[in-house]
Amino acid sequence: MNAMSKIRDARTSVQPAIGLAGSATLRTPCGGRRAENIRKGDLIVTRDAGLQPVRMVWSRTVTAAQISADPSLAPVRLKPRAIGPMMPQRDLVLAGAHRVLVPGYRLAEMPDTTACLLAARDVAEASDAAYVDKAVTEITYYNIVFDAHQVFCANGLPVESFLPSKTVLGQLDRSVREDLIALFPELDGQDAEFPAADYPSPDPASYRPEFV
């Protein structure tokens, strides 16, 4: 089994629950492609750096028993236009801890032109268009890794790529962590981690679902 297959077959102990549902469609030069079909080397259209090659994809399947024991593992469902016009274009399902790019006009005390990253769970239940999907009994979350942190569109909504911070690395399944370090040796150090995201991440309470 090659390293990529091993990553895709990791199913049980990966923490935390972040990532996109396999049905999320990403923009590529050849059109939309579902997250579950993305492979290492595929080019993805990113918000700030144009086409970027995928360096790694890893996934985690969360079972019904795990969701029952820890409801925070349940996915968030964002209905069309939950965040803004055409954002998303159709239902987007993702982990509650996965961050989405929110326009400034939906954030208190932020300039309209300043976009910020917020965890999906921080916008859930703010309106009928965003909520924790308790009907899901099992889900596989897919994480896309680039050479640097990127923002790209999933179902038309800008979302972030996997950001292997020191804290997150310490929570990952050992095999996934080792594969990440094999790809990015600079992560193998006590204080080593990817550069921080280029977007601020404000207090969740600043999110407001209504347009003003």
Side-chain angles (χ1 to χ4, degrees):
M1 181 181 294
N2 59 33
M4 201 63 193
S5 296
K6 179 171 62 177
I7 293 165
R8 289 188 172 277
D9 288 343
R11 289 292 184 262
T12 55
S13 59
V14 181
Q15 294 290 340
I18 49 181
L20 307 169
S23 59
T25 300
L26 283 53
R27 290 181 60 199
T28 80
C30 300
R33 183 173 297 175
R34 290 165 65 102
E36 62 191 359
N37 295 327
I38 297 295
R39 299 292 185 268
K40 179 179 179 179
D42 286 348
L43 293 175
I44 303 296
V45 179
T46 67
R47 179 183 175 93
D48 303 304
L51 295 177
Q52 290 295 311
V54 172
R55 295 296 308 278
M56 174 176 162
V57 180
W58 64 269
S59 64
R60 177 194 182 184
T61 294
V62 178
T63 66
Q66 290 171 321
I67 292 175
S68 177
D70 183 358
S72 71
L73 298 177
V76 168
R77 181 177 294 271
L78 302 178
K79 304 294 288 184
R81 300 178 296 282
I83 306 299
M86 303 299 286
M87 295 190 296
Q89 297 169 345
R90 57 186 180 277
D91 283 21
L92 176 64
V93 178
L94 69 171
H98 202 93
R99 296 190 298 179
V100 302
L101 195 66
V102 176
Y105 60 77
R106 286 248 164 140
L107 299 163
E109 301 180 359
M110 293 296 293
D112 287 355
T113 56
T114 300
C116 299
L117 289 167
L118 278 181
R121 62 174 173 242
D122 294 333
V123 304
E125 314 302 341
S127 74
D128 292 341
Y131 56 90
V132 176
D133 194 342
K134 298 178 182 177
V136 173
T137 57
E138 181 174 295
I139 186 169
T140 298
Y141 295 119
Y142 293 84
N143 283 277
I144 312 299
V145 185
F146 298 100
D147 281 319
H149 181 268
Q150 301 290 347
V151 170
F152 59 93
C153 281
N155 292 8
L157 177 66
V159 301
E160 71 171 344
S161 65
F162 178 64
L163 179 60
S165 67
K166 181 171 60 177
T167 299
V168 170
L169 281 172
Q171 296 173 327
L172 292 178
D173 176 80
R174 180 178 177 180
S175 65
V176 176
R177 183 170 61 251
E178 289 176 348
D179 285 326
L180 276 166
I181 291 173
L183 277 174
F184 306 106
E186 64 272 20
L187 294 176
D188 190 16
Q190 184 174 357
D191 299 317
E193 57 185 45
F194 258 32
D198 289 335
Y199 296 92
S201 188
D203 188 318
S206 68
Y207 181 73
R208 54 191 183 192
E210 75 281 359
F211 291 98
V212 295

